[in-house]
Amino acid sequence: MASTQQLETLIDLAQRETDDAAKRLGAALKAVSEAEEKLNMLIGYRDEYGRRFDASQQQGITPMAYRNFQAFMEKLDTAILGQQEVLRHNKARGDKEKQVWQDAERKRMSYSTLRDRAEAQELKKEAKRDQKAMDEHASRQAFFKR
């Protein structure tokens, strides 16, 4: 079995790996949040522009204004589709980074468990040695008291 010093080294390395994975996960989650925000902004802008167009349409608009509106709405729809793709990509990256972090944390915890077991075993051995020494001492004391 590996010594506790070797396990401490492995735990330190695993802790760094876990910390790095957590930072990447944080960045991925931030990217998801920002992509969702931008998507919602685009959708809100599209809805608002549509409402304004409906209001101006009641007053009457020129065919040119109608074509401009359609062209602009197509551009907004394209931007929304693009942003939905960005969001899907960022969510997939977030899921991947979450899995990497979980794997790193699991590894760190397993090394910690191994270290704890090794320490417990060492304490048990020490307790047995101490008990044996005390028994020998008590035995000699009893022998010399006779």
Side-chain angles (χ1 to χ4, degrees):
M1 177 168 258
S3 74
T4 54
Q5 188 175 8
Q6 291 169 323
L7 287 171
E8 285 298 332
T9 301
L10 290 173
I11 290 169
D12 287 344
L13 291 172
Q15 182 65 53
R16 281 190 217 132
E17 185 181 340
T18 300
D19 291 346
D20 290 345
K23 287 176 189 169
R24 287 190 311 273
L25 174 58
L29 293 176
K30 182 179 179 193
V32 167
S33 177
E34 289 171 353
E36 285 175 337
E37 222 173 272
K38 189 171 182 181
L39 177 61
N40 290 334
M41 182 193 69
L42 286 169
I43 291 170
Y45 186 62
R46 183 187 187 282
D47 292 346
E48 178 62 28
Y49 192 74
R51 280 192 293 278
R52 282 189 197 165
F53 179 75
D54 289 344
S56 65
Q57 200 174 18
Q58 290 174 358
Q59 297 169 1
I61 60 169
T62 65
M64 178 69 134
Y66 185 73
R67 280 193 299 279
N68 288 341
F69 167 77
Q70 284 183 318
F72 186 71
M73 289 300 270
E74 285 177 20
K75 286 180 183 177
L76 274 175
D77 288 340
T78 301
I80 288 170
L81 288 173
Q83 191 60 31
Q84 287 172 333
E85 185 57 36
V86 168
L87 180 58
R88 268 193 297 279
H89 172 75
N90 288 348
K91 282 183 176 183
R93 180 175 154 237
D95 291 344
K96 179 183 158 250
E97 293 298 345
K98 181 180 179 184
Q99 186 62 51
V100 168
W101 174 78
Q102 286 175 333
D103 292 345
E105 182 66 7
R106 210 174 354 267
K107 181 171 35 170
R108 185 194 63 77
M109 289 177 67
S110 65
Y111 288 148
S112 293
T113 300
L114 288 173
R115 180 206 51 212
D116 294 347
R117 286 180 188 162
E119 287 174 350
Q121 232 175 8
E122 192 56 40
L123 285 174
K124 222 184 239 187
K125 285 180 185 176
E126 278 182 41
K128 282 184 180 180
R129 280 193 298 267
D130 290 348
Q131 186 62 45
K132 185 176 180 183
M134 287 172 54
D135 289 348
E136 286 175 3
H137 180 71
S139 173
R140 274 192 242 122
Q141 290 288 1
F143 179 73
F144 288 120
K145 281 188 180 179
R146 285 191 220 176

